[in-house]
Structure formats: C-alpha cells, structure tokens
Amino acid sequence: MIFYRMVLWTIIFFAGLNNQTAGAAPIIPLPQISVGMQAAQNPQEVATSLQILFMLTVLSLAPSILIMMTSFTRIIVVLSFVRSALGTQQMPPNQIIIGLALFLTFFTMAPYWQQVNEQALQPYLAGNLEQEAAMDKGIQPIRDFMFKQTRENDLALFVNLANINRPSGPEEVPTYVLIPSFVISELKTAFQIGFLIYIPFLIIDMVVASTLMSMGMMMLPPVTISLPFKILLFILVDGWHLVIRSLVASFK
C-alpha cells in the first residue's frame, strides 16, 4: 500500500509540474514534510530517542552484518571465481552476481531467520520478552549457523588472540570471537571451491595454448580461442545448476 501511495504522489508531482509549465496552477497541493528536534521532557523520551539512534546505527551497518554473519561471503566469492574462470570479463555483470548472491543468502538463511522471528521478534513485539532477552534469543540461531560453518582451528586462533580462557562449550564463546573465525573459515571454503572450479577451465586453456603453439600460431591470443570452448563446456554440463547446487549443499 505504501508503494502504491508513493507511485501516486510521484504521478501527481509530475502532473503538477506539467500544469505549472503550461501556465496553470496545480490541482492537488503536495504535502509539506518537516522534521524537528525538541528537548526531551522525561526519561522515557530520552530512552526512545536512544532506541531510534540505535536502530539507525543498526540500519547503517546492515550491509556489513549481512556480509559477515551470513552465507553471503562464500556465495559472492565463489560466483566471482566462476566468472573469472570463464574469462568473460564483466559477464554476468556485477549487479547480477550480487543480486544472485543476495537471493541465495536469503534462501540459505531463511530457516535461521524464521527461528529468530519465532523465538525473539514475535515474543518481544507481544510484550512477553524484555529487549535484552529478545536480543540474546535472537542471536542464538545465527550463532548456531556460524558454529556449523566455522573450523575449530580458526576458532582457536581468535580465542588465543583474545587472551581468554579455553571455552568448554559453544555457549562460552563470545560473539566477537565467533564472527571473525566464521569469516576466515568462509573465505577458506570459498577459495577451495573456487580452486576446483578453475581446474577444468585451466585444462582447456592449456590444451588450446599447446595446440596453437604446435601450429605455429604464436601471435594469436589463446584466450580468444579458448573462451568459446569454456562457455560451451559450461553450458553442456549445466554449470550454473551445478555451482548453485554445490553452494547450497555446502551449508547443510
């Protein structure tokens, strides 16, 4: 409904501009929007202002949270490896790669976000949970996801760097230690998958380069000949299907 209202006001706005251009006054006046600041009168207003400031801060950090605490890192790195291995320069474009990575992230993280909604958000909105308790319950499904994808040696590295006692269980691992451990584990996994993706395309490049050299065609760039063969191979094996299936399955 909000979207349709925005579209309606946009149409009215441009209609008003056209009427002004033609010398006529606009039929429907546009509303004036103003934002003001006043001194807080009681502690409740101060708390509300701080909550609004906190929410704005969280929204500004939302891209980083999406990248660092979800499956987005592994997916975007692997998709970039696929494009580099194919050698198609900017095809698919960056917008397509990022958009596909976002939708795959929503798909893989949907069960965990559903748990956050059921265990934390809805009870908090219903007034059954305090804010701190809701945050503790809300972060738990995300922590479970990160623990499943984090290697033990990466976690031990940041535990040692943080100079904390060795945890006896996952519940004793601080979130600020878990997040960087999860990120470097995701990067390692993504590079391992990218290496396996590169191998068949590297073989095609080597075969084409050797063939051109044996034919004495040293001035012809091998990439010009190998690119159609790499694209053909990728199409024949249904490459996007295999890559996406492997990516999603790697999070199970």
Side-chain angles (χ1 to χ4, degrees), residues 10 52 73 86 92 103-104 146 168 175 179 181 196 200 202 226-227:
T10 304
I52 293 175
T73 301
L86 284 171
F103 279 108
L104 289 177
M146 290 192 288
S168 59
T175 303
I179 293 176
S181 307
L196 296 177
L202 179 61
S226 63
L227 180 58

PDB file of all heavy atoms in Angstrom, residues 10 52 73 86 92 103-104 146 168 175 179 181 196 200 202 226-227:
ATOM      1  N   THR A  10       4.104  10.466  -6.860  1.00  0.00           N
ATOM      2  CA  THR A  10       5.044  10.779  -7.936  1.00  0.00           C
ATOM      3  C   THR A  10       4.305  11.219  -9.188  1.00  0.00           C
ATOM      4  O   THR A  10       4.684  12.191  -9.853  1.00  0.00           O
ATOM      5  CB  THR A  10       5.914   9.547  -8.248  1.00  0.00           C
ATOM      6  OG1 THR A  10       6.572   9.127  -7.053  1.00  0.00           O
ATOM      7  CG2 THR A  10       6.959   9.875  -9.307  1.00  0.00           C
ATOM      8  N   ILE A  52      15.875   4.985  18.906  1.00  0.00           N
ATOM      9  CA  ILE A  52      15.829   5.376  17.496  1.00  0.00           C
ATOM     10  C   ILE A  52      17.243   5.530  16.940  1.00  0.00           C
ATOM     11  O   ILE A  52      17.554   5.079  15.822  1.00  0.00           O
ATOM     12  CB  ILE A  52      15.036   6.687  17.341  1.00  0.00           C
ATOM     13  CG1 ILE A  52      13.564   6.464  17.698  1.00  0.00           C
ATOM     14  CG2 ILE A  52      15.153   7.231  15.914  1.00  0.00           C
ATOM     15  CD1 ILE A  52      12.726   7.722  17.695  1.00  0.00           C
ATOM     16  N   THR A  73      29.226 -14.200   2.113  1.00  0.00           N
ATOM     17  CA  THR A  73      30.657 -14.148   1.792  1.00  0.00           C
ATOM     18  C   THR A  73      31.062 -15.303   0.889  1.00  0.00           C
ATOM     19  O   THR A  73      31.698 -15.107  -0.163  1.00  0.00           O
ATOM     20  CB  THR A  73      31.485 -14.172   3.079  1.00  0.00           C
ATOM     21  OG1 THR A  73      31.135 -13.045   3.899  1.00  0.00           O
ATOM     22  CG2 THR A  73      32.969 -14.115   2.765  1.00  0.00           C
ATOM     23  N   LEU A  86      35.766 -18.456 -16.229  1.00  0.00           N
ATOM     24  CA  LEU A  86      35.245 -18.400 -17.586  1.00  0.00           C
ATOM     25  C   LEU A  86      36.000 -17.385 -18.436  1.00  0.00           C
ATOM     26  O   LEU A  86      36.103 -17.536 -19.656  1.00  0.00           O
ATOM     27  CB  LEU A  86      33.761 -18.053 -17.571  1.00  0.00           C
ATOM     28  CG  LEU A  86      32.798 -19.177 -17.177  1.00  0.00           C
ATOM     29  CD1 LEU A  86      31.391 -18.626 -16.997  1.00  0.00           C
ATOM     30  CD2 LEU A  86      32.800 -20.272 -18.233  1.00  0.00           C
ATOM     31  N   PRO A  92      28.623 -12.531 -16.177  1.00  0.00           N
ATOM     32  CA  PRO A  92      27.495 -11.644 -15.873  1.00  0.00           C
ATOM     33  C   PRO A  92      27.953 -10.370 -15.177  1.00  0.00           C
ATOM     34  O   PRO A  92      28.973 -10.381 -14.506  1.00  0.00           O
ATOM     35  CB  PRO A  92      26.609 -12.492 -14.955  1.00  0.00           C
ATOM     36  CG  PRO A  92      27.092 -13.898 -15.092  1.00  0.00           C
ATOM     37  CD  PRO A  92      28.531 -13.804 -15.438  1.00  0.00           C
ATOM     38  N   PHE A 103      19.906 -13.262  -3.110  1.00  0.00           N
ATOM     39  CA  PHE A 103      18.754 -14.164  -3.069  1.00  0.00           C
ATOM     40  C   PHE A 103      19.152 -15.547  -2.560  1.00  0.00           C
ATOM     41  O   PHE A 103      18.381 -16.195  -1.847  1.00  0.00           O
ATOM     42  CB  PHE A 103      18.109 -14.266  -4.447  1.00  0.00           C
ATOM     43  CG  PHE A 103      17.201 -13.111  -4.766  1.00  0.00           C
ATOM     44  CD1 PHE A 103      17.575 -12.146  -5.694  1.00  0.00           C
ATOM     45  CD2 PHE A 103      15.981 -12.964  -4.137  1.00  0.00           C
ATOM     46  CE1 PHE A 103      16.746 -11.072  -5.985  1.00  0.00           C
ATOM     47  CE2 PHE A 103      15.142 -11.900  -4.407  1.00  0.00           C
ATOM     48  CZ  PHE A 103      15.525 -10.950  -5.346  1.00  0.00           C
ATOM     49  N   LEU A 104      20.340 -16.021  -2.917  1.00  0.00           N
ATOM     50  CA  LEU A 104      20.809 -17.298  -2.375  1.00  0.00           C
ATOM     51  C   LEU A 104      21.060 -17.187  -0.874  1.00  0.00           C
ATOM     52  O   LEU A 104      20.828 -18.149  -0.134  1.00  0.00           O
ATOM     53  CB  LEU A 104      22.090 -17.730  -3.094  1.00  0.00           C
ATOM     54  CG  LEU A 104      21.918 -18.190  -4.540  1.00  0.00           C
ATOM     55  CD1 LEU A 104      23.275 -18.518  -5.162  1.00  0.00           C
ATOM     56  CD2 LEU A 104      21.013 -19.415  -4.621  1.00  0.00           C
ATOM     57  N   MET A 146      26.731 -20.048  12.424  1.00  0.00           N
ATOM     58  CA  MET A 146      28.160 -19.753  12.294  1.00  0.00           C
ATOM     59  C   MET A 146      29.017 -20.868  12.879  1.00  0.00           C
ATOM     60  O   MET A 146      30.080 -21.193  12.331  1.00  0.00           O
ATOM     61  CB  MET A 146      28.473 -18.412  12.972  1.00  0.00           C
ATOM     62  CG  MET A 146      27.908 -17.215  12.218  1.00  0.00           C
ATOM     63  SD  MET A 146      28.546 -15.617  12.814  1.00  0.00           S
ATOM     64  CE  MET A 146      27.698 -15.525  14.393  1.00  0.00           C
ATOM     65  N   SER A 168      34.689 -24.243  27.282  1.00  0.00           N
ATOM     66  CA  SER A 168      34.319 -25.652  27.436  1.00  0.00           C
ATOM     67  C   SER A 168      33.151 -26.042  26.541  1.00  0.00           C
ATOM     68  O   SER A 168      32.844 -27.224  26.409  1.00  0.00           O
ATOM     69  CB  SER A 168      33.948 -25.934  28.895  1.00  0.00           C
ATOM     70  OG  SER A 168      32.867 -25.111  29.315  1.00  0.00           O
ATOM     71  N   THR A 175      30.567 -13.711  21.008  1.00  0.00           N
ATOM     72  CA  THR A 175      30.187 -13.465  19.617  1.00  0.00           C
ATOM     73  C   THR A 175      31.266 -12.705  18.864  1.00  0.00           C
ATOM     74  O   THR A 175      31.497 -12.953  17.681  1.00  0.00           O
ATOM     75  CB  THR A 175      28.865 -12.693  19.566  1.00  0.00           C
ATOM     76  OG1 THR A 175      27.856 -13.437  20.272  1.00  0.00           O
ATOM     77  CG2 THR A 175      28.387 -12.500  18.131  1.00  0.00           C
ATOM     78  N   ILE A 179      32.577 -14.293  15.207  1.00  0.00           N
ATOM     79  CA  ILE A 179      32.358 -13.679  13.894  1.00  0.00           C
ATOM     80  C   ILE A 179      33.615 -13.688  13.023  1.00  0.00           C
ATOM     81  O   ILE A 179      33.572 -14.151  11.877  1.00  0.00           O
ATOM     82  CB  ILE A 179      31.795 -12.257  14.053  1.00  0.00           C
ATOM     83  CG1 ILE A 179      30.382 -12.321  14.639  1.00  0.00           C
ATOM     84  CG2 ILE A 179      31.761 -11.528  12.711  1.00  0.00           C
ATOM     85  CD1 ILE A 179      29.774 -10.965  14.927  1.00  0.00           C
ATOM     86  N   SER A 181      36.202 -15.606  13.255  1.00  0.00           N
ATOM     87  CA  SER A 181      36.518 -17.007  12.986  1.00  0.00           C
ATOM     88  C   SER A 181      35.656 -17.556  11.866  1.00  0.00           C
ATOM     89  O   SER A 181      36.134 -18.272  10.969  1.00  0.00           O
ATOM     90  CB  SER A 181      36.315 -17.844  14.256  1.00  0.00           C
ATOM     91  OG  SER A 181      37.015 -17.303  15.348  1.00  0.00           O
ATOM     92  N   LEU A 196      38.587 -25.750  -7.281  1.00  0.00           N
ATOM     93  CA  LEU A 196      38.003 -26.866  -8.030  1.00  0.00           C
ATOM     94  C   LEU A 196      37.290 -26.380  -9.289  1.00  0.00           C
ATOM     95  O   LEU A 196      37.261 -27.084 -10.306  1.00  0.00           O
ATOM     96  CB  LEU A 196      37.024 -27.629  -7.132  1.00  0.00           C
ATOM     97  CG  LEU A 196      37.630 -28.316  -5.910  1.00  0.00           C
ATOM     98  CD1 LEU A 196      36.542 -28.967  -5.070  1.00  0.00           C
ATOM     99  CD2 LEU A 196      38.673 -29.346  -6.331  1.00  0.00           C
ATOM    100  N   PRO A 200      38.985 -27.395 -14.555  1.00  0.00           N
ATOM    101  CA  PRO A 200      38.614 -27.750 -15.939  1.00  0.00           C
ATOM    102  C   PRO A 200      38.859 -26.625 -16.940  1.00  0.00           C
ATOM    103  O   PRO A 200      39.272 -26.875 -18.084  1.00  0.00           O
ATOM    104  CB  PRO A 200      37.123 -28.089 -15.838  1.00  0.00           C
ATOM    105  CG  PRO A 200      36.653 -27.450 -14.583  1.00  0.00           C
ATOM    106  CD  PRO A 200      37.814 -27.459 -13.664  1.00  0.00           C
ATOM    107  N   LEU A 202      41.194 -24.327 -16.676  1.00  0.00           N
ATOM    108  CA  LEU A 202      42.634 -24.227 -16.848  1.00  0.00           C
ATOM    109  C   LEU A 202      43.136 -25.281 -17.834  1.00  0.00           C
ATOM    110  O   LEU A 202      44.031 -25.007 -18.658  1.00  0.00           O
ATOM    111  CB  LEU A 202      43.327 -24.388 -15.491  1.00  0.00           C
ATOM    112  CG  LEU A 202      44.857 -24.335 -15.489  1.00  0.00           C
ATOM    113  CD1 LEU A 202      45.333 -22.978 -16.000  1.00  0.00           C
ATOM    114  CD2 LEU A 202      45.402 -24.609 -14.088  1.00  0.00           C
ATOM    115  N   SER A 226      40.051 -20.138 -26.629  1.00  0.00           N
ATOM    116  CA  SER A 226      39.571 -20.985 -25.528  1.00  0.00           C
ATOM    117  C   SER A 226      38.251 -20.487 -24.940  1.00  0.00           C
ATOM    118  O   SER A 226      37.495 -21.294 -24.381  1.00  0.00           O
ATOM    119  CB  SER A 226      40.631 -21.046 -24.425  1.00  0.00           C
ATOM    120  OG  SER A 226      40.850 -19.758 -23.869  1.00  0.00           O
ATOM    121  N   LEU A 227      37.974 -19.189 -25.047  1.00  0.00           N
ATOM    122  CA  LEU A 227      36.752 -18.653 -24.433  1.00  0.00           C
ATOM    123  C   LEU A 227      35.483 -19.325 -24.950  1.00  0.00           C
ATOM    124  O   LEU A 227      34.643 -19.752 -24.140  1.00  0.00           O
ATOM    125  CB  LEU A 227      36.686 -17.140 -24.634  1.00  0.00           C
ATOM    126  CG  LEU A 227      35.449 -16.435 -24.048  1.00  0.00           C
ATOM    127  CD1 LEU A 227      35.333 -16.691 -22.554  1.00  0.00           C
ATOM    128  CD2 LEU A 227      35.498 -14.944 -24.329  1.00  0.00           C
TER     129      LEU A 227
END
